[in-house]
Amino acid sequence: MQLQGTILSGYDFDLIEGTIIIENGQIVAIEEESTSSKNIILPAFINSHTHIGDSIAKDAGSGLSLDELVAPPNGLKHRLLSSAKPDDLISQMKRSIQLMGTIGVAAFADFREGGIEGVRMIHKANLESSVDAIVLGRDTIEVLDIADGFGASGSRDSDFTQERNSTKTVNKLFGIHAGERDKLDIDTSLELEPDFIVHMVHPTSEHLDSLQNTNTPVVICPRSNLVTGVGLPPIEDLLNHTTVALGTDNVMLNSPSLFREMAFVSKLFEIDPRDILRMATSSGAAIFDLDYGVIKPNKQAKLLVLDGDSNNLSGSSDIISSIVRRAGPADIKQVYL
Ligand SMILES: [Zn+2]
Protein backbone atom coordinates (compact mmCIF):
# COMPACT_ATOMS: atom_id res chain seq x y z
CA MET A 1 0.00 0.00 0.00
CA GLN A 2 1.35 3.42 -0.96
CA LEU A 3 0.13 6.98 -0.69
CA GLN A 4 1.64 9.73 -2.82
CA GLY A 5 1.63 13.46 -2.51
CA THR A 6 2.95 16.21 -0.28
CA ILE A 7 3.57 14.57 3.08
CA LEU A 8 3.48 16.46 6.38
CA SER A 9 6.30 14.53 7.93
CA GLY A 10 7.29 14.31 11.59
CA TYR A 11 6.33 16.52 14.53
CA ASP A 12 7.25 19.70 12.63
CA PHE A 13 5.23 18.80 9.54
CA ASP A 14 8.19 19.09 7.18
CA LEU A 15 6.75 19.14 3.68
CA ILE A 16 8.10 16.19 1.72
CA GLU A 17 7.06 15.40 -1.80
CA GLY A 18 6.99 11.66 -2.17
CA THR A 19 5.50 8.34 -1.16
CA ILE A 20 4.48 6.76 2.14
CA ILE A 21 4.96 3.00 2.12
CA ILE A 22 2.49 1.22 4.39
CA GLU A 23 2.63 -2.43 5.41
CA ASN A 24 0.18 -4.09 7.79
CA GLY A 25 -1.17 -0.72 8.83
CA GLN A 26 2.27 0.61 9.69
CA ILE A 27 4.34 3.30 8.03
CA VAL A 28 7.51 1.53 6.96
CA ALA A 29 9.12 4.28 4.89
CA ILE A 30 8.74 7.80 3.57
CA GLU A 31 10.42 8.08 0.19
CA GLU A 32 11.24 11.48 -1.16
CA GLU A 33 10.61 11.68 -4.91
CA SER A 34 8.88 13.97 -7.32
CA THR A 35 5.22 13.23 -7.95
CA SER A 36 2.47 14.79 -10.00
CA SER A 37 -0.02 14.06 -7.20
CA LYS A 38 -1.62 17.12 -5.63
CA ASN A 39 -2.59 15.13 -2.56
CA ILE A 40 -1.71 16.45 0.85
CA ILE A 41 -1.13 13.73 3.43
CA LEU A 42 -1.34 14.52 7.12
CA PRO A 43 -1.86 12.52 10.29
CA ALA A 44 -5.50 11.80 11.04
CA PHE A 45 -6.83 13.92 13.91
CA ILE A 46 -7.22 13.09 17.57
CA ASN A 47 -10.19 14.67 19.27
CA SER A 48 -8.94 14.82 22.85
CA HIS A 49 -12.19 15.68 24.61
CA THR A 50 -15.77 14.85 23.74
CA HIS A 51 -19.07 14.00 25.32
CA ILE A 52 -20.79 12.21 22.47
CA GLY A 53 -23.61 10.99 24.72
CA ASP A 54 -25.35 14.29 24.19
CA SER A 55 -25.52 13.70 20.43
CA ILE A 56 -29.23 13.23 21.17
CA ALA A 57 -29.54 16.90 22.15
CA LYS A 58 -27.73 18.89 19.48
CA ASP A 59 -28.20 22.61 19.93
CA ALA A 60 -30.61 22.22 22.83
CA GLY A 61 -30.58 24.96 25.43
CA SER A 62 -29.03 27.77 23.48
CA GLY A 63 -28.46 30.80 25.67
CA LEU A 64 -28.34 28.84 28.93
CA SER A 65 -25.43 29.27 31.34
CA LEU A 66 -22.76 26.59 31.88
CA ASP A 67 -24.51 25.28 35.01
CA GLU A 68 -27.92 25.24 33.40
CA LEU A 69 -26.52 23.41 30.39
CA VAL A 70 -24.13 20.75 31.61
CA ALA A 71 -23.63 20.73 35.40
CA PRO A 72 -24.50 17.34 36.94
CA PRO A 73 -27.03 16.22 38.03
CA ASN A 74 -29.69 18.75 37.03
CA GLY A 75 -28.25 20.56 34.01
CA LEU A 76 -30.32 20.28 30.84
CA LYS A 77 -27.89 17.80 29.30
CA HIS A 78 -28.19 15.37 32.21
CA ARG A 79 -31.96 15.60 32.25
CA LEU A 80 -32.05 14.86 28.51
CA LEU A 81 -29.58 11.99 28.90
CA SER A 82 -31.52 10.33 31.69
CA SER A 83 -34.84 10.62 29.88
CA ALA A 84 -33.49 9.30 26.54
CA LYS A 85 -34.02 5.70 25.45
CA PRO A 86 -30.76 3.68 25.48
CA ASP A 87 -31.21 2.64 21.84
CA ASP A 88 -31.57 6.26 20.78
CA LEU A 89 -28.49 7.22 22.74
CA ILE A 90 -26.49 4.43 21.14
CA SER A 91 -27.64 5.18 17.61
CA GLN A 92 -26.94 8.89 17.94
CA MET A 93 -23.50 8.22 19.45
CA LYS A 94 -22.83 5.85 16.56
CA ARG A 95 -23.64 8.61 14.10
CA SER A 96 -21.25 11.03 15.80
CA ILE A 97 -18.53 8.38 15.64
CA GLN A 98 -19.29 7.79 11.95
CA LEU A 99 -19.12 11.52 11.36
CA MET A 100 -15.74 11.75 13.08
CA GLY A 101 -14.43 8.87 10.96
CA THR A 102 -15.47 10.59 7.74
CA ILE A 103 -13.96 13.93 8.73
CA GLY A 104 -10.55 12.54 9.58
CA VAL A 105 -10.67 11.71 13.30
CA ALA A 106 -8.67 8.57 14.15
CA ALA A 107 -9.43 8.63 17.87
CA PHE A 108 -11.50 10.50 20.40
CA ALA A 109 -11.38 10.62 24.18
CA ASP A 110 -14.82 10.73 25.72
CA PHE A 111 -16.03 11.48 29.24
CA ARG A 112 -18.98 9.11 29.23
CA GLU A 113 -21.83 9.72 31.61
CA GLY A 114 -24.06 7.02 33.07
CA GLY A 115 -21.67 4.73 34.94
CA ILE A 116 -20.98 1.21 33.66
CA GLU A 117 -24.11 1.15 31.51
CA GLY A 118 -23.00 4.40 29.89
CA VAL A 119 -19.62 2.89 29.03
CA ARG A 120 -21.29 -0.23 27.63
CA MET A 121 -23.44 1.97 25.39
CA ILE A 122 -20.51 3.81 23.85
CA HIS A 123 -18.67 0.52 23.34
CA LYS A 124 -21.74 -0.75 21.50
CA ALA A 125 -21.94 2.42 19.43
CA ASN A 126 -18.29 1.96 18.43
CA LEU A 127 -18.41 -1.77 17.61
CA GLU A 128 -18.11 -1.58 13.83
CA SER A 129 -16.02 1.56 13.65
CA SER A 130 -12.38 1.99 12.77
CA VAL A 131 -12.23 5.10 14.95
CA ASP A 132 -10.59 4.41 18.32
CA ALA A 133 -12.72 5.36 21.32
CA ILE A 134 -10.85 6.17 24.51
CA VAL A 135 -13.61 5.98 27.08
CA LEU A 136 -13.34 7.57 30.50
CA GLY A 137 -16.32 6.53 32.57
CA ARG A 138 -17.96 8.55 35.32
CA ASP A 139 -20.21 8.25 38.33
CA THR A 140 -18.76 5.06 39.86
CA ILE A 141 -15.33 3.48 40.30
CA GLU A 142 -16.69 0.25 38.84
CA VAL A 143 -16.44 1.82 35.37
CA LEU A 144 -12.73 1.03 35.59
CA ASP A 145 -13.55 -2.64 34.99
CA ILE A 146 -14.38 -1.86 31.37
CA ALA A 147 -13.41 1.77 30.64
CA ASP A 148 -9.99 3.19 29.76
CA GLY A 149 -10.09 5.45 32.77
CA PHE A 150 -12.13 7.81 34.91
CA GLY A 151 -13.26 11.24 33.68
CA ALA A 152 -14.09 13.42 36.67
CA SER A 153 -16.67 16.17 36.30
CA GLY A 154 -14.69 18.56 38.51
CA SER A 155 -13.35 18.92 42.02
CA ARG A 156 -16.30 21.13 42.98
CA ASP A 157 -18.62 18.15 42.69
CA SER A 158 -16.66 15.67 44.76
CA ASP A 159 -13.27 14.90 46.23
CA PHE A 160 -12.30 12.19 43.68
CA THR A 161 -9.29 11.00 45.74
CA GLN A 162 -10.61 7.47 45.84
CA GLU A 163 -11.29 7.45 42.11
CA ARG A 164 -7.82 8.80 41.45
CA ASN A 165 -6.21 6.15 43.62
CA SER A 166 -8.20 3.41 41.90
CA THR A 167 -7.07 4.54 38.45
CA LYS A 168 -3.47 4.43 39.66
CA THR A 169 -3.92 0.93 41.04
CA VAL A 170 -5.22 -0.41 37.73
CA ASN A 171 -2.95 1.83 35.66
CA LYS A 172 -5.75 3.61 33.83
CA LEU A 173 -6.27 7.25 32.90
CA PHE A 174 -7.62 9.92 35.23
CA GLY A 175 -8.76 13.15 33.62
CA ILE A 176 -10.65 16.03 35.22
CA HIS A 177 -12.34 19.26 34.16
CA ALA A 178 -10.75 22.27 35.88
CA GLY A 179 -10.42 26.01 35.54
CA GLU A 180 -13.45 26.23 33.32
CA ARG A 181 -15.54 28.96 34.92
CA ASP A 182 -12.88 30.29 37.31
CA LYS A 183 -9.59 29.31 38.94
CA LEU A 184 -11.06 27.99 42.18
CA ASP A 185 -10.98 24.29 41.36
CA ILE A 186 -7.51 24.22 39.79
CA ASP A 187 -5.39 23.63 42.93
CA THR A 188 -7.60 20.81 44.19
CA SER A 189 -7.51 19.23 40.74
CA LEU A 190 -3.72 19.45 40.48
CA GLU A 191 -3.44 17.80 43.92
CA LEU A 192 -5.03 14.71 42.40
CA GLU A 193 -2.09 14.45 39.96
CA PRO A 194 -4.36 13.89 36.98
CA ASP A 195 -3.06 12.47 33.70
CA PHE A 196 -4.58 15.50 32.04
CA ILE A 197 -6.81 18.48 32.78
CA VAL A 198 -9.63 19.66 30.54
CA HIS A 199 -10.30 23.39 29.93
CA MET A 200 -7.86 25.53 31.99
CA VAL A 201 -9.46 28.78 30.89
CA HIS A 202 -8.41 30.57 34.08
CA PRO A 203 -4.93 29.49 35.25
CA THR A 204 -2.74 31.89 37.24
CA SER A 205 0.99 32.04 36.57
CA GLU A 206 1.47 29.73 39.60
CA HIS A 207 -0.89 27.23 38.04
CA LEU A 208 1.02 27.41 34.76
CA ASP A 209 4.29 26.73 36.60
CA SER A 210 2.71 23.87 38.42
CA LEU A 211 1.45 22.35 35.13
CA GLN A 212 5.01 22.58 33.87
CA ASN A 213 6.63 21.17 37.01
CA THR A 214 4.23 18.26 37.22
CA ASN A 215 4.24 17.68 33.48
CA THR A 216 0.45 17.77 33.36
CA PRO A 217 -1.02 18.12 29.87
CA VAL A 218 -4.09 20.22 29.14
CA VAL A 219 -6.93 19.62 26.71
CA ILE A 220 -8.56 22.85 25.63
CA CYS A 221 -12.03 23.22 24.09
CA PRO A 222 -12.18 26.87 23.01
CA ARG A 223 -15.40 26.72 20.97
CA SER A 224 -17.20 25.15 23.90
CA ASN A 225 -15.78 27.82 26.24
CA LEU A 226 -17.15 30.56 24.02
CA VAL A 227 -20.59 28.96 23.79
CA THR A 228 -20.84 28.56 27.58
CA GLY A 229 -19.58 32.09 28.15
CA VAL A 230 -16.64 31.24 30.42
CA GLY A 231 -13.97 33.04 28.40
CA LEU A 232 -11.10 31.62 26.39
CA PRO A 233 -8.01 29.71 27.54
CA PRO A 234 -4.63 31.49 27.40
CA ILE A 235 -3.42 29.10 24.72
CA GLU A 236 -0.02 30.63 24.19
CA ASP A 237 0.78 30.57 27.92
CA LEU A 238 -0.38 26.97 28.12
CA LEU A 239 1.74 26.00 25.10
CA ASN A 240 4.76 27.60 26.75
CA HIS A 241 4.32 25.40 29.82
CA THR A 242 2.94 22.05 28.80
CA THR A 243 1.47 19.75 26.16
CA VAL A 244 -1.80 21.16 24.85
CA ALA A 245 -4.35 19.22 22.80
CA LEU A 246 -7.68 20.18 21.25
CA GLY A 247 -11.08 18.77 22.04
CA THR A 248 -14.53 19.67 20.79
CA ASP A 249 -16.36 18.91 24.09
CA ASN A 250 -20.15 18.36 24.13
CA VAL A 251 -21.71 17.38 20.80
CA MET A 252 -24.73 19.20 22.18
CA LEU A 253 -22.77 22.45 21.81
CA ASN A 254 -20.43 21.80 18.89
CA SER A 255 -19.89 19.41 16.02
CA PRO A 256 -16.96 17.08 16.77
CA SER A 257 -14.89 18.57 13.93
CA LEU A 258 -11.23 19.37 14.42
CA PHE A 259 -11.29 21.35 11.18
CA ARG A 260 -13.70 23.76 12.83
CA GLU A 261 -11.84 23.83 16.13
CA MET A 262 -8.51 24.55 14.40
CA ALA A 263 -9.92 27.32 12.20
CA PHE A 264 -11.55 28.91 15.22
CA VAL A 265 -8.31 28.88 17.23
CA SER A 266 -6.25 30.18 14.33
CA LYS A 267 -8.49 33.17 13.87
CA LEU A 268 -8.89 34.11 17.51
CA PHE A 269 -5.25 33.67 18.53
CA GLU A 270 -1.89 34.56 17.05
CA ILE A 271 -0.57 31.02 17.16
CA ASP A 272 1.75 29.26 14.74
CA PRO A 273 -0.44 27.02 12.56
CA ARG A 274 2.00 24.16 13.20
CA ASP A 275 1.26 24.41 16.92
CA ILE A 276 -2.44 24.29 16.15
CA LEU A 277 -2.10 21.25 13.92
CA ARG A 278 -0.01 19.51 16.60
CA MET A 279 -2.78 20.20 19.12
CA ALA A 280 -5.14 18.32 16.80
CA THR A 281 -2.78 15.39 16.17
CA SER A 282 0.44 14.44 17.97
CA SER A 283 -0.32 16.17 21.29
CA GLY A 284 -3.46 14.10 21.81
CA ALA A 285 -1.47 11.01 20.85
CA ALA A 286 1.07 11.89 23.55
CA ILE A 287 -1.60 12.30 26.23
CA PHE A 288 -3.40 9.07 25.38
CA ASP A 289 -0.29 7.09 24.49
CA LEU A 290 -1.38 6.39 20.93
CA ASP A 291 1.04 5.07 18.38
CA TYR A 292 -0.05 7.49 15.66
CA GLY A 293 -0.83 11.21 15.27
CA VAL A 294 2.46 11.80 13.46
CA ILE A 295 3.83 10.62 10.11
CA LYS A 296 7.03 8.74 10.85
CA PRO A 297 8.37 5.27 10.10
CA ASN A 298 7.20 2.64 12.62
CA LYS A 299 4.08 4.61 13.55
CA GLN A 300 0.63 3.28 12.73
CA ALA A 301 -0.64 4.66 9.44
CA LYS A 302 -3.73 6.62 10.45
CA LEU A 303 -3.78 9.27 7.79
CA LEU A 304 -5.87 11.92 6.18
CA VAL A 305 -5.49 12.64 2.47
CA LEU A 306 -6.68 16.04 1.28
CA ASP A 307 -7.04 17.19 -2.31
CA GLY A 308 -4.57 20.04 -2.63
CA ASP A 309 -6.19 20.85 -5.97
CA SER A 310 -9.71 21.26 -4.56
CA ASN A 311 -11.53 24.50 -5.27
CA ASN A 312 -10.89 25.37 -1.64
CA LEU A 313 -7.16 24.57 -1.40
CA SER A 314 -5.75 25.19 -4.88
CA GLY A 315 -3.59 28.30 -5.00
CA SER A 316 -2.50 27.99 -1.37
CA SER A 317 0.79 29.70 -0.65
CA ASP A 318 1.13 28.03 2.76
CA ILE A 319 -0.19 24.50 2.99
CA ILE A 320 -0.11 24.21 6.79
CA SER A 321 -1.95 27.51 7.24
CA SER A 322 -4.54 26.50 4.67
CA ILE A 323 -5.14 23.15 6.39
CA VAL A 324 -5.59 24.88 9.73
CA ARG A 325 -7.53 27.93 8.57
CA ARG A 326 -9.73 26.80 5.70
CA ALA A 327 -9.65 23.06 4.97
CA GLY A 328 -12.80 21.08 5.59
CA PRO A 329 -14.59 17.82 4.85
CA ALA A 330 -15.11 18.79 1.18
CA ASP A 331 -11.33 18.65 0.67
CA ILE A 332 -11.00 15.07 1.91
CA LYS A 333 -10.02 12.45 -0.65
CA GLN A 334 -9.43 9.60 1.75
CA VAL A 335 -9.38 8.87 5.44
CA TYR A 336 -7.00 5.99 6.06
CA LEU A 337 -7.61 4.51 9.52
ZN1 LIG B 1 -16.11 18.05 29.15
Side-chain angles (χ1 to χ4, degrees):
M1 165 79 190
Q2 302 191 343
L3 293 173
Q4 272 195 331
T6 300
I7 302 158
L8 276 61
S9 168
Y11 292 97
D12 291 328
F13 307 113
D14 299 325
L15 299 178
I16 292 178
E17 193 182 325
T19 306
I20 302 181
I21 317 284
I22 300 166
E23 279 171 19
N24 300 322
Q26 275 222 317
I27 298 172
V28 294
I30 300 166
E31 291 174 355
E32 207 164 338
E33 59 196 351
S34 74
T35 165
S36 58
S37 170
K38 301 280 190 193
N39 288 347
I40 300 167
I41 308 169
L42 57 146
F45 301 126
I46 292 157
N47 190 343
S48 295
H49 188 62
T50 60
H51 301 259
I52 67 166
D54 50 43
S55 301
I56 47 143
K58 290 169 192 146
D59 303 309
S62 93
L64 296 182
S65 72
L66 180 63
D67 277 340
E68 292 166 327
L69 275 171
V70 296
N74 294 318
L76 175 66
K77 160 192 163 138
H78 297 279
R79 282 182 279 130
L80 292 169
L81 281 180
S82 55
S83 64
K85 292 193 190 116
D87 283 352
D88 292 342
L89 279 172
I90 293 167
S91 72
Q92 287 302 328
M93 286 198 282
K94 193 171 180 175
R95 297 186 75 163
S96 284
I97 295 169
Q98 278 170 354
L99 170 65
M100 284 194 272
T102 57
I103 60 178
V105 175
F108 66 100
D110 198 89
F111 278 22
R112 183 72 260 271
E113 301 82 1
I116 288 200
E117 202 38 49
V119 176
R120 284 206 183 102
M121 282 190 231
I122 196 170
H123 282 161
K124 252 186 211 166
N126 198 45
L127 267 183
E128 292 144 27
S129 166
S130 41
V131 177
D132 291 334
I134 300 147
V135 181
L136 288 89
R138 288 167 79 162
D139 305 331
T140 161
I141 292 177
E142 274 80 60
V143 293
L144 294 177
D145 291 345
I146 55 169
D148 303 295
F150 192 91
S153 55
S155 67
R156 270 188 186 82
D157 302 328
S158 175
D159 170 57
F160 291 116
T161 306
Q162 214 189 336
E163 286 82 351
R164 180 41 172 151
N165 292 338
S166 301
T167 55
K168 277 188 177 161
T169 308
V170 296
N171 198 20
K172 292 196 172 185
L173 291 162
F174 180 85
I176 188 165
H177 296 109
E180 186 176 11
R181 77 199 66 190
D182 55 43
K183 62 182 180 188
L184 299 177
D185 59 357
I186 298 178
D187 284 326
T188 42
S189 302
L190 281 166
E191 279 163 21
L192 293 165
E193 300 175 351
D195 293 302
F196 64 99
I197 289 182
V198 181
H199 289 307
M200 274 292 175
V201 178
H202 302 284
T204 62
S205 57
E206 288 77 21
H207 293 139
L208 291 168
D209 289 340
S210 153
L211 289 171
Q212 182 160 10
N213 297 335
T214 57
N215 221 347
T216 309
V218 172
V219 178
I220 54 167
C221 309
R223 281 188 306 159
S224 164
N225 298 147
L226 206 65
V227 175
T228 58
V230 296
L232 287 167
I235 302 181
E236 212 155 347
D237 287 342
L238 290 167
L239 279 168
N240 287 332
H241 288 83
T242 189
T243 302
V244 183
L246 277 179
T248 59
D249 211 4
N250 299 276
V251 176
M252 180 177 169
L253 308 176
N254 287 301
S255 77
S257 164
L258 267 318
F259 283 120
R260 288 195 174 205
E261 203 73 41
M262 289 195 303
F264 183 88
V265 169
S266 80
K267 288 169 191 190
L268 273 171
F269 295 86
E270 293 272 326
I271 292 178
D272 184 332
R274 282 183 163 75
D275 281 326
I276 298 176
L277 192 53
R278 266 191 289 272
M279 289 195 272
T281 54
S282 58
S283 298
I287 297 174
F288 299 107
D289 201 19
L290 304 171
D291 195 23
Y292 45 89
V294 60
I295 300 182
K296 262 176 63 153
N298 300 321
K299 290 282 182 183
Q300 282 185 55
K302 305 237 180 195
L303 305 167
L304 176 56
V305 183
L306 302 180
D307 178 5
D309 196 33
S310 70
N311 290 336
N312 188 32
L313 296 178
S314 73
S316 168
S317 58
D318 179 339
I319 289 179
I320 310 284
S321 275
S322 295
I323 291 169
V324 167
R325 295 174 74 84
R326 73 176 64 235
D331 303 309
I332 294 176
K333 279 183 89 168
Q334 189 187 351
V335 182
Y336 187 91
L337 298 179

